Each structure stands twice: as structure tokens, then as C-alpha cells.
């Protein structure tokens, strides 16, 4: 069965066409600058990459171009659209309504729309992508896979903030967590690699990308995660501050004479390792700068690693132990220095890193020694495959 996976943002749309039997990617690509001008990059498996500047006044036009690219006689990978059996959509926020993937119909779309308030930058864009696909493929089943769904198993003690309880009741202010599809995929894969059942493991997944979060997975279920009401909480990230004293917000607004909205913008876009290093939000640049003696780049690397360690420690505490620590996403998969920094703090858990095994990028591998009490692993995440699997499971 061929499944089209769509991840739609406000001006971009990523897609993959996956053969769910072989789990091979038949084609993938990206539409950028939707509503501005338009650029399509299409990568069919086994054929040359195609790049073109094409007008994309709206998302429907972008989806239409993707479908044309997939069926094109030269760079297409399928004979006709009838070969696409289902579409899986990434949806950022499912609030408390969705604890698993769901078939998208009018009623469900209305409920997703009700969550827009919780993710005003992401959910409306996701919905536009869904509507564009429904318009162009009216008879193909569509499935929504939510970033928040995996974390709906968190217990109350983990998801409630120390705020007046009425805010939770009235405004749904609580920890939701994100990257759920990745945390779910990686924790299951870790169990598979170790030949164990997820129900028998305590796993800490470190999804360290430009956006970064950590998840405590106990017996296959998310029991806590570092992102919260929004993806701004938790770790120090590429450009996001992560945890700060909330009183700082008003203090900056006063000192800089800017609005609260502007402060939040600073916390989202100008903080994190970018803000600390004053250099870059990309760890490759930071390592290069630190190697040349740039002190701020080194500070950013150290602060980032330290916060990862703090979360690992707190999740080992709340799970009363940990069996597996899994690193994933851009930094987790590709940065042996950060992994070594983090693991260097964790000897008290009985973990021991094997520096030779740790010298790897983008591959599944156990990086702890054979004697290590906690298994440390690198597991490349694959959110698209996870979405395709969930889509197939519902459609079948
Ligand atoms: P997101 O999906 O949140 O945009 P990714 O998971 O793609 O982020 O991670 C992107 C980040 O991964 C980059 O900003 C960079 O810091 C880091 N990264 C990617 N490749 C490498 C590498 N080879 N070495 C170190 N860091 C890397």
C-alpha cells in the first residue's frame, strides 16, 4: 500500500510517498515559499533530484504540484494517483481530545480546529494542508497523527503546573509535550533492537534537534516530557530559551521597552544556543568556533549539554531507574561530542560510554560498553515512517 505523508507548515510543505509493505521511500520533497513565489524540490528514489521555481499562490496549488511530480512521466514514481491508498498528516496539537491517530472527517477536523488556539502557528497550517489534500483527493482516506498524542498518557502530577487549577479547567493550560511521534518511534525501536518488550523497559529518549525535547518512557508509555504547554519549555534549543524563571519575561519587557509578544519572540527566535553563543544555532558551527577558541561557543555547548543531563537525571528519578538512554534527531544522531559530554555526567547511573562506538553519525548503534548498566544508543528518528505506519494501521 502506498501512503503519502504530509507535514504542512505555514509557507512550506514536506512530503514522502512511502510503500508501507517494503517501508521504502518512493519519493520525497519539499515545497517552499508557498504564498510568496514557490519552489519545489522533488527527490524520486533512484532518479535525479528535480528542483523548480513554480508559482504556489496557495497550499492547494502546492499539493497539486506534488501530485503532478509524483505522477510525472519523467521524474514520477507512480502511474496514477489511484495508487495512493491513504494520506497521513502530521498535526502538531491535538489538545486533550486526541490520544492516538485518527481518521480525518468533518467532525474530527472541527475538533482539531478547536485546538488552534493552543498552537496558533502550527495547527491552522496543518489544517490548510489537510483541506488542500481533501479537495484534490476526495476519495482517499486521510489520517491525522498528532505530536501531542503519545504524551496523553502522562500522569496528572507530570502534566499539571503549579498554577491556579481553574486555569487548567478554563483555558486547558497544562503540559502537552511535543515530538511525540519521534519519542514513540525511538522508544519502540530501542526495545526492538534489544529484543525486549517496550512494557519491560524504562527509556529516556533525547530528541536533540533544532527543537529539542526529552521524554521519559516507562513500560512503553510517555510519563513525562520536557516541552510543555508550548514547544518553548524544557531544554536550551537552537534558538529557543527553554526553561527560564517566568519573572524574567516582564523584567525584559520593562528593561528593553518591548511588548510581552516581542519578549516571547526573543525567547523563541533569538535565544538558546544562538543567543548564548552570539554565533550560530547550528552545533557544527559552534564546534568549529569553539575549536578556534571562541569562548561563547563553548559556553553554549556546555549549557546545552548540562540541561540535557538535568532532564535525564530527573527522569531517572521519576521512573525510579532507567534501562536505556536513546539519542535521536540532528544533534542526537550526528554529534558524538554532545553525546560524550552528556554521558560524562552519568557515571552515577552505572553508564559507561564506549568512545569508539560513539564515533558514529546517523546510524543505529549501541554506544555504551558491554558492561554498562544502562544501554546508551543512537537511533535515527523516522517520523514519516511512523506516520505512515499509524496511517496504514487505521486505514486497513
Ligand atoms: P529540526 O527538525 O528541529 O529542525 P533537526 O533534527 O534536523 O532539527 O536538527 C538540526 C540540527 O542538528 C542542526 O541545527 C545542527 O545543530 C544539528 N546537526 C545536524 N547535523 C549535524 C552534525 N553532523 N554534527 C553536529 N550537529 C549536527
Amino acid at each position: 500500500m502506498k501512503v503519502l505523508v504530509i507535514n504542512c507548515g505555514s509557507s512550506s510543505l514536506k512530503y514522502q510517498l512511502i510503500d508501507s509493505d517494503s517501508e521504502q521511500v518512493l519519493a520525497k520533497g519539499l515545497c517552499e515559499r508557498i504564498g510568496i513565489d514557490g519552489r519545489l524540490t522533488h527527490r524520486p528514489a533512484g532518479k535525479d533530484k528535480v528542483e523548480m521555481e513554480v508559482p504556489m499562490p496557495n497550499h492547494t496549488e502546492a499539493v497539486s504540484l506534488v501530485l503532478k511530480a509524483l505522477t510525472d512521466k519523467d521524474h514520477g514514481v507512480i502511474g496514477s494517483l489511484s495508487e495512493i491508498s491513504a494520506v497521513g498528516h502530521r498535526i502538531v496539537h491535538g489538545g486533550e481530545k486526541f490520544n492516538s491517530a485518527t481518521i480525518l472527517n468533518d467532525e474530527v477536523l472541527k475538533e482539531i480546529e478547536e485546538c488552534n488556539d493552543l498552537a496558533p502557528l502550527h495547527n491552522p497550517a496543518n489544517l490548510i494542508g489537510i483541506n488542500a489534500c481533501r479537495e484534490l483527493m476526495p476519495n482517499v482516506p486521510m489520517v491525522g497523527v498528532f505530536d501531542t498524542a503519545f504524551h496523553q498518557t502522562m500522569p496528572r502530577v507530570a502534566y499539571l503546573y503549579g498554577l491556579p487549577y481553574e486555569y487548567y479547567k478554563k483555558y486547558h493550560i497544562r503540559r502537552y509535550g511535543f515530538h511525540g511521534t519521534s519519542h514513540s518511534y525511538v522508544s519502540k525501536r530501542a526495545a526492538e533492537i534489544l529484543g525486549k518488550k517496550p512494557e519491560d523497559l524504562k527509556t529516556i529518549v533525547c530528541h536533540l534537534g533544532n527543537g529539542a525535547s526529552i521524554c521519559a518512557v516507562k513500560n512503553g508509555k510517555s510519563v513525562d516530557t520536557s516541552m510543555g504547554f508550548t514547544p518553548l519549555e524544557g531544554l536550551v534549543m537552537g534558538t529557543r530559551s527553554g526553561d527560564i524563571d517566568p519573572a524574567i519575561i516582564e523584567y525584559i519587557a520593562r528593561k528593553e521597552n518591548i511588548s510581552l509578544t516581542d519578549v516571547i519572540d526573543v525567547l523563541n527566535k533569538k535565544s538558546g544556543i544562538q543567543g548564548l553563543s552570539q554565533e550560530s544555532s547550528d552545533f557544527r558551527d559552534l564546534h568549529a568556533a569553539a575549536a578556534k577558541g571562541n569562548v561563547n561557543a563553548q559556553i553554549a555547548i556546555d549549557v546545552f549539554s548540562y540541561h540535557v543531563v538535568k532532564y535525564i537525571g530527573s527522569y531517572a528519578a521519576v521512573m525510579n531507574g532507567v534501562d536505556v538512554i536513546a539519542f535521536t534527531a540532528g544533534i542526537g544522531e550526528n554529534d558524538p561530542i554532545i553525546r560524550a559530554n552528556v554521558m560524562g555526567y552519568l557515571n552515577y547511573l552505572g553508564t559507561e560510554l564506549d568512545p569508539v562506538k560513539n564515533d558514529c553519525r546517523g546510524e543505529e548503534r549501541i554506544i555504551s560498553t558491554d558492561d554498562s548498566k544502562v544501554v546508551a544508543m543512537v537511533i535515527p528518528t523516522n517520523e514519516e515512517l511512523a506516520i505512515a505506519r499509524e496511517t496504514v494501521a487505521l486505514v486497513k
Side-chain angles (χ1 to χ4, degrees):
M1 175 167 171
K2 291 176 184 125
V3 179
L4 180 61
V5 175
I6 299 278
N7 181 354
C8 191
S10 56
S11 69
S12 71
L13 183 152
K14 289 188 209 148
Y15 62 93
Q16 284 197 7
L17 184 68
I18 296 178
D19 182 330
S20 65
D21 301 318
S22 63
E23 299 205 325
Q24 295 299 308
V25 177
L26 303 173
K28 63 179 173 181
L30 168 68
C31 299
E32 290 168 286
R33 301 176 62 83
I34 302 169
I36 306 166
D37 36 32
R39 181 185 308 136
L40 172 70
T41 311
H42 175 69
R43 297 167 194 272
K47 296 183 190 175
D48 290 339
K49 171 175 96 171
V50 186
E51 278 176 298
M52 48 186 144
E53 312 280 328
V54 256
M56 293 178 197
N58 54 48
H59 287 75
T60 308
E61 193 53 39
V63 175
S64 167
L65 287 162
V66 169
L67 299 180
K68 272 195 199 120
L70 290 171
T71 49
D72 186 88
K73 67 176 174 19
D74 295 323
H75 47 260
V77 291
I78 47 176
S80 83
L81 288 184
S82 62
E83 289 183 43
I84 300 177
S85 306
V87 183
H89 292 271
R90 176 190 178 207
I91 303 174
V92 167
H93 218 307
E96 289 187 321
K97 291 196 172 87
F98 298 99
N99 58 13
S100 62
T102 308
I103 296 263
L104 299 171
N105 54 34
D106 290 341
E107 198 183 319
V108 168
L109 288 178
K110 238 180 95 210
E111 288 183 320
I112 296 171
E113 212 175 314
E114 284 165 21
C115 301
N116 278 3
D117 208 18
L118 295 170
L121 296 180
H122 295 102
N123 267 32
N126 300 156
L127 281 167
I128 289 171
I130 294 166
N131 286 325
C133 288
R134 288 180 102 206
E135 195 181 321
L136 296 169
M137 293 177 273
N139 300 318
V140 179
M142 310 261 156
V143 171
V145 181
F146 302 88
D147 276 18
T148 48
F150 182 60
H151 302 301
Q152 279 296 302
T153 48
M154 278 189 289
R156 205 164 36 200
V157 286
Y159 72 68
L160 281 182
Y161 290 114
L163 289 169
Y165 191 67
E166 73 213 56
Y167 293 164
Y168 167 56
K169 287 314 240 186
K170 273 202 293 195
Y171 308 127
H172 313 289
I173 297 175
R174 50 158 284 175
R175 176 181 311 286
Y176 289 99
F178 299 87
H179 291 141
T181 310
S182 175
H183 290 300
S184 164
Y185 172 85
V186 171
S187 56
K188 285 190 183 76
R189 187 72 197 123
E192 235 169 60
I193 292 168
L194 295 173
K196 301 228 163 116
K197 292 196 199 121
E199 296 79 50
D200 296 333
L201 285 177
K202 294 170 184 172
T203 303
I204 296 175
V205 180
C206 306
H207 178 111
L208 310 179
N210 195 28
S213 72
I214 303 203
C215 182
V217 186
K218 190 175 182 183
N219 308 333
K221 295 195 165 98
S222 168
V223 292
D224 205 347
T225 190
S226 59
M227 282 180 171
F229 179 63
T230 73
L232 183 53
E233 192 184 346
L235 299 171
V236 174
M237 306 179 216
T239 61
R240 287 175 232 165
S241 63
D243 301 331
I244 59 165
D245 178 343
I248 294 171
I249 294 171
E250 197 248 1
Y251 192 77
I252 296 176
R254 224 167 355 103
K255 288 285 179 193
E256 293 274 308
N257 197 19
I258 57 177
S259 69
L260 291 184
T261 309
D262 289 342
V263 180
I264 297 296
D265 204 54
V266 170
L267 299 186
N268 268 308
K269 299 188 185 145
K270 297 185 184 147
S271 301
I273 60 162
Q274 166 77 58
L276 274 170
S277 69
Q278 305 280 303
E279 189 72 30
S280 170
S281 63
D282 191 306
F283 272 91
R284 288 165 286 197
D285 301 334
L286 289 192
H287 290 310
K292 287 191 198 137
N294 181 320
V295 175
N296 275 59
Q298 190 60 52
I299 290 172
I301 292 167
D302 294 345
V303 171
F304 177 85
S305 308
Y306 183 80
H307 281 255
V308 173
V309 171
K310 285 215 306 194
Y311 270 100
I312 291 176
S314 64
Y315 290 163
V318 298
M319 291 197 291
N320 191 22
V322 53
D323 303 306
V324 182
I325 297 172
F327 292 93
T328 194
I331 303 155
E333 293 167 24
N334 296 300
D335 196 328
I337 302 174
I338 295 291
R339 293 193 301 254
N341 283 353
V342 169
M343 293 295 291
Y345 280 92
L346 302 177
N347 294 340
Y348 76 99
L349 288 172
T351 65
E352 204 185 328
L353 185 72
D354 181 325
V356 176
K357 292 182 187 163
N358 184 42
D359 189 15
C360 65
R361 288 183 172 77
E363 59 179 286
E364 266 181 10
R365 195 189 265 199
I366 292 177
I367 55 170
S368 47
T369 61
D370 295 345
D371 300 334
S372 180
K373 282 202 196 114
V374 178
V375 181
M377 342 173 67
V378 175
I379 302 181
T381 192
N382 195 338
E383 286 162 291
E384 290 77 13
L385 177 59
I387 291 173
R389 282 180 184 165
E390 298 218 33
T391 302
V392 170
L394 274 183
V395 169
K396 266 191 173 162

